[in-house]
Amino acid sequence: MGGLQRFEQRLESMISGAFARAFRSAVQPVEIAAALQRECDNNAQVLSRQRRLVPNDFHVELSQPDLDRLQPFDTALVDDLTNQLHDYADEQGYVFPGPISLDFELAGDLTTGRFRIRSGAKAQVSGDASDTRMTRAAAYLEVNGTRHPLDRDLVVGRGTEADLRINDPGVSRRHIEFRVQHGPIPQIEVLDLGSTNGMLVDGQKVQRARAEDGTEVRIGNTTMTVRLVEEPA
């Protein structure tokens, strides 16, 4: 039995066919599951002979009628779609850069029965900074929905020796360093530490650059934004 058939049977048994009744003439959950699989297939990046990186951040866009029909079941459906993606990834040798995120959104240009999926690779980010340091920082980094203080020099990379660790295969173990000079307004510089893939600062490939409020630094598949705080605690 295929993965999609098992997925559909789990949904039907879980809610006694409610999905089938609610979606009889609209978007079918099994269609969404198949589209999520295709999204992984179409965006797989080769890491090694047996491992390929696939997106882990999914947004399913629906018409208003379909979104309304989905609402009573959205939590259960997200859970089952997520589990089905994990099963499919195991079968195909796919790896996710971080936890799977999946949500449903309104798209005004779509009609009933039609949907589309936007996806991206969103690497898991981890650091050792305390909440107190974050509160007192005069500058910080925004990375994949997380914040990390720039109150001292900060090495960013994939390895355990980095201060800020990003699970992105395009990121070197020690990829870049933010150097901070303290003052009424912190002076921040970012430099490449001899990484394999380099860095982009506001879209330009450079070895070293001054970073100001709103500066975007991209390494691998990950973009981080520098933020300055007007009045830190």
Side-chain angles (χ1 to χ4, degrees):
M1 183 183 297
L4 285 179
Q5 289 177 306
R6 292 195 300 270
F7 168 75
E8 193 170 32
Q9 287 185 0
R10 284 200 307 270
L11 290 181
E12 291 178 353
S13 63
M14 179 178 62
I15 56 174
S16 302
F19 275 119
R21 293 193 297 272
F23 287 83
R24 185 174 293 117
S25 60
V27 171
Q28 302 292 325
V30 70
E31 294 177 327
I32 298 176
L36 289 169
Q37 289 185 0
R38 288 195 300 272
E39 194 72 13
C40 290
D41 295 339
N42 294 337
N43 292 280
Q45 300 179 40
V46 176
L47 298 178
S48 66
R49 191 171 180 179
Q50 296 180 330
R51 296 170 68 246
R52 286 176 288 175
L53 181 77
V54 293
N56 64 321
D57 186 44
F58 301 94
H59 303 269
V60 181
E61 297 182 344
L62 300 156
S63 67
Q64 188 67 65
D66 283 321
L67 198 60
D68 291 341
R69 291 185 182 94
L70 176 67
Q71 191 171 13
F73 319 114
D74 59 355
T75 301
L77 183 55
V78 165
D79 289 343
D80 263 310
L81 287 170
T82 299
N83 291 335
Q84 195 271 340
L85 276 171
H86 278 296
D87 291 344
Y88 186 67
D90 290 340
E91 293 172 2
Q92 301 298 318
Y94 292 158
V95 294
F96 300 107
I100 293 176
S101 172
L102 194 156
D103 60 23
F104 301 95
E105 301 176 357
L106 173 65
D109 62 325
L110 294 178
T111 56
T112 301
R114 299 184 65 85
F115 68 96
R116 61 172 169 256
I117 295 175
R118 293 183 292 108
S119 68
K122 195 171 183 179
Q124 186 172 12
V125 182
S126 59
D128 301 324
S130 64
D131 291 339
T132 301
R133 278 183 59 197
M134 186 66 242
T135 302
R136 293 178 176 174
Y140 61 89
L141 279 179
E142 288 182 344
V143 194
N144 290 351
T146 63
R147 292 183 176 186
H148 305 272
L150 281 172
D151 55 351
R152 62 187 71 168
D153 294 351
L154 183 79
V155 173
V156 181
R158 185 168 45 85
T160 56
E161 64 271 29
D163 303 306
L164 183 62
R165 296 172 293 281
I166 301 179
N167 184 29
D168 182 332
V171 173
S172 298
R173 297 184 65 82
R174 287 171 52 89
H175 200 115
I176 59 174
E177 183 177 14
F178 288 89
R179 293 184 177 171
V180 182
Q181 200 168 24
H182 296 285
I185 299 177
Q187 304 297 309
I188 301 171
E189 185 181 46
V190 57
L191 62 149
D192 193 309
L193 297 177
S195 66
T196 301
N197 297 317
M199 70 171 178
L200 298 177
V201 177
D202 289 332
Q204 300 296 315
K205 189 166 186 175
V206 294
Q207 293 293 320
R208 180 188 297 258
R210 175 83 173 272
E212 301 177 344
D213 185 44
T215 294
E216 291 189 345
V217 181
R218 183 174 179 85
I219 57 176
N221 296 303
T222 302
T223 298
M224 56 198 76
T225 305
V226 175
R227 296 295 184 192
L228 300 183
V229 181
E230 292 184 4
E231 296 181 0

